[in-house]
Amino acid sequence: MFSNAEGKLFQYRNCRILKDHKIYTEDLWVRDGKIVNPEKIFFEEKILADYQIDCKNKILAPGFIETQINGAFGVDFSQEETIVNGGIGKVCKGLLEQGITSFCPTVITSPSLAYKKILPLIKKTKGSKDGAGIIGVHVEGPFISKEKKGAHKEELIQTFDNGFKDVIDMYGDLSNIAIITLAPELHNSQQVIKECVDRGIIVSLGHSMANLTRGEEAIWNGASYVTHLFNAMLPFHHRDPHLVGLLTSNKLPPDTQIYYGIIADGIHTHPAALRIAQRINPKGLVLVTDAIQAMGLPEGKYKFGCQQIEIKDNRATVAGTNTLCGSIVSMDRCVRQLAKSTECGHVLALETASLHPAKVLKISNSKGTLDFDTDADFILLSEDLHVQATFIAGELVWQRSGDVISVISRTD
Amino acid sequence: MKLVILDDYSQVSEWAAKYVRRRIIDFNPGPNRYFTLGLPTGSTPLGMYKKLIEFHKQNLISFRYVKTFNMDEYVGLAQDHLESYHSFMWNNFFKHIDINPENAHILDGNAANLETECVSFEKKIKDAGGIELFIGGIGPDGHIAFNEPGSSLVSRTRVKTLAQDTIIANARFFGGDVSKVPTEALTVGVGTVMDANEVMILITGAHKAFALHKAIEDGINHMWTVSAFQQHPRTIFICDEDATLELKVKTVKYFKSLMHVHNKLKDDPQ
């Protein structure tokens, strides 16, 4: 409908943008894939937009950023055979309709050889009309607690008795890794956390038996994220709140905002638990789907990692058990579920899937907001938070139907 | 001189906006005939801008063939500072209308050579054929633009040091910190405004009542620079009831009796 040509100035009109923690009527201006300051252009360059686009009064919000997704559409990031031959691209493309513009493919506890094969295949890529961008891999395991293994295979779980050397030996090249989930109670974990953080890897605490003190120590050493809060960790107890207690801890470094992933699919986290987390630490809430390859597939049995899983009644379990092994929910549905369950309002609901994950990944200066000079990755939503269109770097990459937007004028 | 007395601020805003609209329509601007408008900033004209934006959204007015010249701008304040007059005009008017950015002129308070900037601003006005309608507000001390009390009544665009009252009054826009308020501004002169074909001054609120009295009932005085327009052949003051508190009953009654005549000036042409 319009080209995304270099140097052209786009003015998205008739929209309600999410900016500075408010939703208000304002135009969004885009050029060369970035959100630009129209005031500066008006007074300094003295030019008008090349294209004006009518957004028909939709909400215009930053694109969603997903930090934990194991797979989708039959592709499992932990199974090499499913990701070769275009498997990664299939997920990248498929996620666009959920409003996801960037994500972290997540690899669960696997043998060393698998990491060494898979990690080099999942490269950091920019988003485009071919699909959402990849920020880096989230390696969930294998340095986790056997007691809190969840759906991970116990015999593959490892310790780092030799410290960071074991981490390198396990994964091989670390350059494609963005996040590592580890259990902070493991021997040498505090040293490993420091080493990871020094290398720019985000450390997330999870699949863990840790008490609160151990969790606080990990935060002091640079950990900043908690993997799917409530799931695969000891439950809140009033005499030791365990990792859940990090949300209200007053023993963290000054001005620390802890972030925690939460699966708001209505199954992995009870709505009341979701409300507790949202009420006590709204700024740290990060929506994750933790979706598995069966997302978008019909009910039945599938291979997940090295295990059989079963999809039935909107749940994914280890076949023959009641153990949950990831969800099959979409990101936009999590946003709606959160808004509905917590009545937190559109602003927070949308920020938990955009601004907050961008902060986790330390990329909020370029993604997760509609601030000037950031990437023009954004979505259009209906009032009830259904995604209508997705844009990456200013380009329309997906739309629900042909009439979501219309070009109202063009200056030739 | 015309004096239009209305009930309150919102009526003043609407009346002024309708008058501006009517003037532009009557002028019948086009690609070879631009309507030139002198514009103020501040809280007084805000309501008028809002109304003009409303009219624009209802397709009742276009600024496609309008050139604007703003009265003033602080010196040394970043252009995108929220309190700069560039930002004011962008946020409260320009971004909502269809004006071509090439036609919107605001003095550059960050120009390398401020004097050259002032001279070139005067020249731009002249090249545009002069100002057709200059709109202004006034301070409680009767200043027009940044022509503080004591300014020459034949002054041109120049650098001006702000009066202490103005700095204190403006501190509310800079977090209440007087030290953050710029102390200088570029401003059109009283003479620059006098050259316009018509001058329209908005005055609202009881705190401006004495200034209105000084503007129209007392003599011409450089301590009340707005009084200079007594010598302008076409000046229209638009005020609310509160602003008339210091006027003579006779003055108020006389102009109120003319309202039916003045109202015709802003209504749609028959």
Side-chain angles (χ1 to χ4, degrees):
Chain A
M1 63 188 298
F2 55 86
S3 71
N4 192 29
E6 209 180 306
K8 294 283 183 209
L9 187 57
F10 297 86
Q11 179 184 10
Y12 291 86
R13 304 192 64 182
N14 196 14
C15 45
R16 288 169 294 144
I17 70 168
L18 167 56
K19 196 175 174 188
D20 301 328
H21 314 297
K22 290 188 296 272
I23 292 175
Y24 57 100
T25 301
E26 179 76 286
D27 296 351
L28 185 87
W29 295 67
V30 173
R31 182 165 61 189
D32 293 333
K34 302 273 183 193
I35 295 164
V36 291
N37 181 353
E39 182 181 342
K40 249 185 147 60
I41 291 172
F42 185 91
F43 288 120
E44 288 174 12
E45 300 179 39
K46 297 183 181 294
I47 54 168
L48 295 164
D50 295 296
Y51 296 90
Q52 290 190 324
I53 296 121
D54 182 0
C55 299
K56 305 180 181 176
N57 200 33
K58 289 182 186 67
I59 295 170
L60 194 160
F64 296 148
I65 300 168
E66 161 71 293
T67 55
Q68 188 170 10
I69 174 166
N70 306 290
F73 315 112
V75 176
D76 182 347
F77 295 122
S78 304
Q79 291 184 67
E80 187 202 349
E81 64 274 19
T82 70
I83 61 175
V84 290
N85 296 326
I88 298 173
K90 192 174 175 183
V91 179
C92 293
K93 183 113 186 158
L95 293 179
L96 296 175
E97 69 170 68
Q98 299 182 15
I100 293 173
T101 50
S102 301
F103 71 109
C104 297
T106 303
V107 178
I108 64 160
T109 297
S110 303
S112 178
L113 191 62
Y115 289 118
K116 286 169 183 165
K117 281 183 177 167
I118 291 169
L119 291 178
L121 293 174
I122 311 180
K123 295 188 170 60
K124 296 180 181 178
T125 49
K126 285 189 171 171
S128 69
K129 64 178 186 314
D130 295 327
I134 295 175
I135 305 285
V137 177
H138 179 170
V139 283
E140 188 187 5
F143 305 106
I144 57 173
S145 159
K146 287 187 178 179
E147 288 88 343
K148 287 291 169 193
K149 63 184 191 302
H152 295 230
K153 272 196 140 180
E154 186 169 337
E155 63 269 28
L156 296 176
I157 290 172
Q158 304 292 332
T159 54
F160 24 55
D161 294 329
N162 302 309
F164 197 68
K165 182 179 176 299
D166 286 347
V167 174
I168 295 175
D169 288 348
M170 174 57 56
Y171 300 123
D173 185 6
L174 304 182
S175 58
N176 286 344
I177 297 177
I179 304 175
I180 176 172
T181 288
L182 56 78
E185 69 273 24
L186 297 180
H187 180 56
N188 287 334
S189 64
Q190 302 301 331
Q191 189 53 40
V192 168
I193 290 170
K194 274 191 204 167
E195 294 267 3
C196 287
V197 172
D198 282 350
R199 284 167 173 75
I201 298 172
I202 309 301
V203 175
S204 190
L205 310 176
H207 286 279
S208 161
M209 295 283 284
N211 60 20
L212 177 56
T213 310
R214 193 43 78 86
E216 287 164 343
E217 190 189 353
I219 303 297
W220 276 94
N221 282 313
S224 52
Y225 198 27
V226 179
T227 301
H228 46 46
L229 189 77
F230 300 126
N231 288 282
M233 62 183 62
L234 285 168
F236 175 85
H237 185 281
H238 57 287
R239 279 191 293 275
D240 187 343
H242 300 112
L243 292 181
V244 177
L246 287 172
L247 273 63
T248 53
S249 171
N250 60 359
K251 290 188 176 144
L252 303 181
D255 302 322
T256 299
Q257 173 62 58
I258 180 93
Y259 292 95
Y260 56 96
I262 208 159
I263 311 166
D265 64 347
I267 297 165
H268 282 75
T269 314
H270 191 282
L274 190 58
R275 279 192 286 278
I276 288 173
Q278 182 266 324
R279 300 286 201 277
I280 61 173
N281 198 328
K283 286 185 182 168
L285 202 162
V286 177
L287 286 179
V288 297
T289 65
D290 202 13
I292 59 169
Q293 62 174 337
M295 181 175 73
L297 296 180
E299 289 194 348
K301 287 190 180 174
Y302 300 92
K303 197 172 175 225
F304 179 33
C306 307
Q307 287 178 320
Q308 290 291 323
I309 61 109
E310 189 172 2
I311 302 295
K312 212 179 162 190
D313 304 330
N314 285 323
R315 285 165 185 262
T317 54
V318 176
T321 74
N322 286 322
T323 307
L324 293 168
C325 62
S327 80
I328 50 174
V329 71
S330 65
M331 187 55 126
D332 55 324
R333 189 152 169 227
C334 287
V335 171
R336 292 192 295 275
Q337 185 86 26
L338 176 74
K340 190 179 157 206
S341 301
T342 65
E343 295 177 336
C344 65
H346 284 9
V347 171
L348 186 76
L350 291 166
E351 286 184 343
T352 59
S354 53
L355 175 65
H356 298 181
K359 293 233 177 182
V360 167
L361 293 161
K362 299 187 166 54
I363 53 171
S364 59
N365 58 350
S366 62
K367 291 187 189 296
T369 74
L370 297 178
D371 290 349
F372 299 140
D373 306 320
T374 64
D375 296 341
D377 295 355
F378 58 92
I379 54 178
L380 292 172
L381 302 116
S382 57
E383 190 55 38
D384 58 0
L385 300 178
H386 283 85
V387 179
Q388 305 296 312
T390 305
F391 295 76
I392 293 180
E395 187 172 12
L396 177 64
V397 292
W398 178 82
Q399 59 181 333
R400 184 157 299 284
S401 57
D403 60 353
V404 175
I405 53 171
S406 58
V407 177
I408 48 179
S409 79
R410 211 204 124 154
T411 326
D412 285 306
Chain B
M1 178 200 74
K2 298 180 189 76
L3 175 65
V4 175
I5 302 168
L6 297 151
D7 288 349
D8 54 24
Y9 176 77
S10 75
Q11 283 191 19
V12 169
S13 302
E14 183 164 356
W15 205 101
K18 281 186 170 168
Y19 186 75
V20 171
R21 174 175 169 254
R22 174 72 190 274
R23 287 282 275 113
I24 293 173
I25 289 172
D26 286 354
F27 188 85
N28 194 22
N32 299 313
R33 184 178 157 81
Y34 278 78
F35 187 90
T36 49
L37 204 49
L39 294 176
T41 52
S43 51
T44 311
L46 256 183
M48 176 194 71
Y49 286 134
K50 282 206 176 91
K51 275 284 161 196
L52 285 171
I53 293 163
E54 252 178 57
F55 295 159
H56 172 66
K57 294 208 162 133
Q58 293 162 11
N59 281 325
L60 296 173
I61 186 172
S62 167
F63 296 88
R64 200 157 168 209
Y65 300 116
V66 173
K67 290 186 184 185
T68 64
F69 290 87
N70 266 79
M71 292 186 137
D72 41 19
E73 175 59 289
Y74 289 114
V75 168
L77 192 63
Q79 199 170 83
D80 56 357
H81 187 288
L82 211 57
E83 294 305 332
S84 82
Y85 291 167
H86 279 80
S87 277
F88 178 97
M89 291 309 297
W90 168 255
N91 286 309
N92 296 305
F93 197 40
F94 293 151
K95 77 175 176 187
H96 304 285
I97 60 169
D98 61 344
I99 191 164
N100 188 321
E102 285 177 359
N103 296 328
H105 304 279
I106 305 182
L107 284 152
D108 179 4
N110 293 298
N113 186 331
L114 295 173
E115 278 176 35
T116 315
E117 171 65 13
C118 294
V119 171
S120 106
F121 196 72
E122 288 274 348
K123 186 173 182 301
K124 279 183 209 160
I125 293 175
K126 208 175 158 204
D127 292 347
I131 307 275
E132 181 60 29
L133 175 64
F134 219 125
I135 305 169
I138 59 167
D141 61 0
H143 72 250
I144 176 97
F146 273 123
N147 294 289
E148 304 283 27
S151 293
S152 157
L153 299 185
V154 291
S155 54
R156 311 303 306 186
T157 304
R158 69 216 183 285
V159 185
K160 194 76 190 157
T161 302
L162 307 192
Q164 191 60 20
D165 313 25
T166 311
I167 293 173
I168 293 167
N170 287 356
R172 66 184 192 275
F173 302 122
F174 293 86
D177 186 349
V178 172
S179 71
K180 288 202 176 116
V181 185
T183 55
E184 285 182 321
L186 301 187
T187 178
V188 294
V190 180
T192 316
V193 183
M194 282 293 284
D195 285 350
N197 278 345
E198 184 173 14
V199 179
M200 180 173 105
I201 308 286
L202 310 179
I203 308 179
T204 57
H207 62 303
K208 303 267 174 89
F210 194 64
L212 179 58
H213 157 67
K214 282 288 187 182
I216 64 174
E217 289 186 328
D218 224 356
I220 295 169
N221 185 334
H222 70 171
M223 295 312 286
W224 299 85
T225 50
V226 66
S227 63
F229 301 114
Q230 291 176 22
Q231 289 212 315
H232 193 285
R234 226 179 145 188
T235 305
I236 179 164
F237 286 88
I238 306 173
C239 70
D240 63 359
E241 287 283 354
D242 287 348
T244 65
L245 290 174
E246 299 283 353
L247 296 184
K248 286 180 183 154
V249 173
K250 184 177 167 185
T251 310
V252 173
K253 283 198 166 168
Y254 172 69
F255 285 106
K256 279 198 164 179
S257 75
L258 284 169
M259 278 307 285
H260 67 286
V261 178
H262 291 159
N263 277 337
K264 285 182 192 149
L265 300 173
K266 52 99 181 163
D267 290 334
D268 274 354
Q270 294 303 309

